[in-house]
């Protein structure tokens, strides 16, 4: 366990201190852009970064970068916190992504389990009901996710009430693995919502039989940019921006929106 103590830079005995002009500037190692974004996004959990470790407020720590070279499939299944930023997420209107460009599909399971719960029961203890376009949607209160979802609805109702039809039959929490994989779906953590399937495109539904590394015939999306951007304003990313498009899918991932790296 790493214990962070405040630096005592002003407590040297005066007779042993070098004169100020001879003081050597200590070089502070740069915090990686991804770690900075995580600190900003999850202040209730992550309190500092030191020596390649994310330090949590309960005193535990987690390796930020495991140093392993990963291909697309390994990154999907075994992401560390650093891998989550492998593809930069760009806010704004939806454009067709390049082959296998999936910003946000790489998730460090240990990190999300630590914050949202490591079992269905534990995640459930944090769920609250959100009134969502006439439905009651269970969503986690952790990290302010439920309040952020409410803010998305408020924006849509204020600015684009004509878009309400896109939200009917939404669904959120479901503890399950991703089809064909052992990793947990983002829906397991209670911070992800699928809006109405009527206007949605999902690569597995569109192209049955295609697998993760196959080239997809074409990109599909019918969700308006105004919906995508309302979610992004409140900390969510859109599955409509993935090469493996899942246009109904919105996931609370503020760290990707705070990321200022390349
Ligand atoms: Zn989804």
């Amino acid at each position: 366990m790493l214990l962070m103590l405040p630096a005592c830079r002003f407590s040297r005995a005066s007779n042993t201190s070098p004169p100020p002009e001879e003081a050597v500037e200590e070089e502070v190692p740069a915090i990686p852009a991804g770690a900075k974004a995580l600190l900003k996004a999850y202040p209730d959990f992550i309190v500092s970064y030191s020596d390649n470790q994310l330090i949590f407020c309960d005193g535990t720590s987690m390796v930020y970068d495991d140093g392993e070279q990963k291909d697309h499939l390994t990154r999907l299944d075994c992401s560390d916190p650093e891998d989550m930023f492998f593809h930069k997420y760009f806010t704004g209107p939806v454009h067709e992504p390049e082959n296998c460009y999936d910003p946000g599909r790489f998730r460090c399971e240990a990190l999300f389990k630590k914050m949202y719960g490591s079992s269905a029961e534990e995640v459930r203890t944090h769920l609250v009901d959100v009134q969502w376009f006439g439905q009651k949607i269970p969503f986690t209160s952790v990290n302010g996710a439920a309040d952020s979802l409410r803010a998305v609805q408020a924006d849509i109702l204020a600015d684009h009430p004509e878009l309400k039809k896109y939200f009917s039959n939404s669904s959120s929490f479901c503890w399950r693995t991703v089809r064909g994989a052992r990793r947990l779906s983002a829906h397991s953590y209670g911070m992800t919502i699928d809006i109405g399937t009527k206007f949605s495109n999902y690569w597995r539904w569109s192209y049955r039989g295609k697998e993760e590394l196959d080239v997809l015939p074409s990109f599909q999306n019918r969700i308006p940019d105004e919906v995508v951007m309302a979610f992004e304003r409140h900390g969510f990313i859109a599955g409509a921006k993935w090469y493996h498009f899942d246009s109904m899918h919105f996931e609370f991932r503020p760290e990707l929106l705070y990321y200022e790296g390349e």
Side-chain angles (χ1 to χ4, degrees):
M1 186 175 83
L2 289 172
L3 193 61
M4 302 298 291
L5 295 173
C8 300
R9 60 175 62 199
F10 301 115
S11 61
R12 294 189 201 104
S14 58
N15 59 346
T16 58
S17 299
E21 63 270 20
E22 290 175 24
V24 179
E25 281 286 319
E26 268 181 49
E27 206 165 293
V28 181
I31 300 179
K36 256 188 215 169
L38 287 162
L39 278 161
K40 191 170 175 184
Y42 304 119
D44 291 350
F45 290 92
I46 306 172
V47 290
S48 64
Y49 169 91
S50 174
D51 290 338
N52 194 30
Q53 303 275 333
L54 296 171
I55 319 288
F56 293 88
C57 53
D58 63 5
T60 61
S61 61
M62 180 181 290
V63 171
Y64 172 69
D65 180 3
D66 61 18
E68 308 226 348
Q69 294 292 318
K70 295 169 192 163
D71 59 17
H72 183 79
L73 293 178
T74 319
R75 208 173 288 115
L76 279 173
D77 284 334
C78 310
S79 196
D80 63 17
E82 183 257 348
D83 292 321
M84 302 202 299
F85 303 94
F86 184 75
H87 288 148
K88 189 178 169 84
Y89 185 91
F90 292 97
T91 56
V94 175
H95 301 291
E96 181 172 347
E98 286 171 26
N99 192 353
C100 277
Y101 197 85
D102 291 332
R105 275 183 88 213
F106 311 121
R107 305 176 192 92
C108 174
E109 197 162 294
L111 176 62
F112 290 105
K113 280 183 170 174
K114 185 165 181 68
M115 295 195 291
Y116 295 108
S118 55
S119 65
E121 292 67 37
E122 206 182 329
V123 173
R124 258 191 215 106
T125 62
H126 302 299
L127 299 181
V128 295
D129 282 335
V130 173
Q131 292 297 332
W132 179 252
F133 298 97
Q135 269 184 275
K136 221 188 254 181
I137 289 286
F139 219 68
T140 187
S141 59
V142 174
N143 292 322
D147 285 340
S148 299
L149 188 65
R150 292 184 183 103
V152 173
Q153 177 180 243
D155 273 17
I156 293 288
L157 292 178
D159 303 335
H160 294 285
E162 76 282 6
L163 299 179
K164 274 195 288 190
K165 64 180 180 184
Y166 288 95
F167 299 90
S168 55
N169 298 315
S170 295
S171 61
S172 59
F173 171 66
C174 179
W175 183 271
R176 63 174 167 85
T177 51
V178 173
R179 204 176 64 147
R182 272 184 298 173
R183 67 181 180 275
L184 281 173
S185 153
H187 288 276
S188 304
Y189 307 117
M191 49 51 146
T192 297
I193 187 167
D194 286 343
I195 61 173
T197 53
K198 196 172 164 190
F199 302 96
S200 292
N201 296 94
Y202 177 40
W203 70 281
R204 283 199 184 274
W205 294 345
S206 297
Y207 302 124
R208 301 219 179 249
K210 289 284 183 197
E211 292 302 329
E212 186 69 39
L213 297 179
D214 291 338
V215 172
L216 303 181
S218 67
F219 177 71
Q220 299 175 341
N221 174 50
R222 287 172 291 158
I223 303 295
D225 287 339
E226 290 77 12
V227 170
V228 168
M229 291 190 290
F231 273 102
E232 288 174 346
R233 274 198 297 280
H234 298 288
F236 290 80
I237 60 161
K241 292 197 169 170
W242 298 339
Y243 179 75
H244 295 92
F245 52 87
D246 184 357
S247 69
M248 70 193 119
H249 181 101
F250 293 89
E251 188 173 325
F252 187 68
R253 298 288 297 282
E255 79 279 15
L256 295 174
L257 304 171
Y258 287 140
Y259 181 66
E260 290 182 347
E262 295 302 309

